[in-house]
Amino acid sequence: MYTHSKQISIGGAPAANAKAALIMLHGRGASAIDIMRLANELNAKDMTVYAPQATNNSWYPYSFLAPVEDNEPALSSALSLIDEVVARALADGFTADKIYFAGFSQGACLTLEYITRNAKQYGGAVAFTGGLIGEELDLANYKSDFASTPVLITTGDPDPHVPLNRVKESVNVLKGMNANVTLKVYKGRQHTISYNEIALANQLVFL
């Protein structure tokens, strides 16, 4: 088991000139630099981009559907690191409603888990193939109000890592907390991010 070192890549527009912050979370086996390239495809040119790096390129060791205790202490360490990134964005002058999130796969699961445990009015969030974390969802962790934050969740059906039933379960949790959730399911799509998903993210979240 491991805890995450505090490596945060920062790019995009300088904070002093930016209109918003974008926190990006990479997938298993990828890197902060990898996910930051995705920002070039999003309507994020006026945003400061923050991308933390997972130790050993993995946020937690097992499937997101494993019992939470099996993924500790890595999972708690990952959530704590995102907390530090959010604190950095706030210190750079961005209010919560100007902070956006985007993640893919393991990073999408972590994105949803973080924002749902810390729900408030954010700028928006995109989870490219992800769901809330745990063998069973602990609803006691999800108590606050998103105040109509736009959230886009996309996935393939079937997906080899993320079952559609957990995605739908996650959508229901977020909707119950007043998130403005859009779910888009792509039949037969491979475990990747498609052009259509990027276009939808730009249309619904990165306006």
Side-chain angles (χ1 to χ4, degrees):
M1 293 297 185
Y2 47 83
T3 56
H4 297 282
S5 59
K6 297 172 184 177
Q7 299 179 57
I8 304 168
S9 295
I10 299 177
N17 305 326
K19 69 176 185 180
L22 172 57
I23 297 172
M24 306 192 77
L25 300 175
H26 67 76
R28 190 190 299 269
S31 70
I33 300 303
D34 293 331
I35 195 72
M36 286 180 81
R37 293 193 188 103
L38 179 62
N40 296 327
E41 307 298 324
L42 302 171
N43 293 335
K45 292 177 176 57
D46 296 328
M47 297 184 178
T48 303
V49 179
Y50 303 81
Q53 173 65 48
T55 298
N56 300 325
N57 302 96
S58 180
W59 292 111
Y60 42 85
Y62 302 112
S63 165
F64 83 111
L65 298 171
V68 166
E69 55 269 24
D70 289 359
N71 278 316
E72 295 292 7
L75 175 58
S76 290
S77 178
L79 293 167
S80 177
L81 179 56
I82 301 169
D83 232 6
E84 293 194 31
V85 179
V86 170
R88 174 72 179 268
L90 293 169
D92 284 343
F94 301 107
T95 52
D97 64 332
K98 297 296 183 185
I99 297 177
Y100 292 74
F101 296 83
F104 169 62
S105 191
Q106 194 185 51
C109 296
L110 197 58
T111 293
L112 291 174
E113 189 68 23
Y114 179 83
I115 65 170
T116 310
R117 289 191 187 201
N118 300 276
K120 55 181 64 112
Q121 186 179 6
Y122 295 112
V126 180
F128 294 111
T129 311
L132 291 169
I133 295 172
E135 184 177 33
E136 302 289 337
L137 296 185
D138 183 356
L139 299 180
N141 287 330
Y142 315 129
K143 290 182 174 178
S144 298
D145 193 305
F146 278 109
S148 297
T149 296
V151 179
L152 171 64
I153 303 175
T154 65
T155 194
D157 180 28
D159 183 89
H161 304 289
V162 181
L164 184 57
N165 63 344
R166 173 53 60 89
V167 177
K168 290 181 175 178
E169 188 180 6
S170 304
V171 167
N172 288 336
V173 171
L174 271 74
K175 282 184 173 179
M177 297 166 65
N178 294 320
N180 183 8
V181 184
T182 300
L183 170 63
K184 183 66 175 177
V185 181
Y186 297 87
K187 287 288 184 184
R189 192 218 60 194
Q190 294 183 330
H191 192 72
T192 186
I193 302 173
S194 68
Y195 173 80
N196 288 340
E197 289 165 271
I198 292 170
L200 198 58
N202 284 331
Q203 177 187 337
L204 296 176
V205 177
F206 299 102
L207 306 180

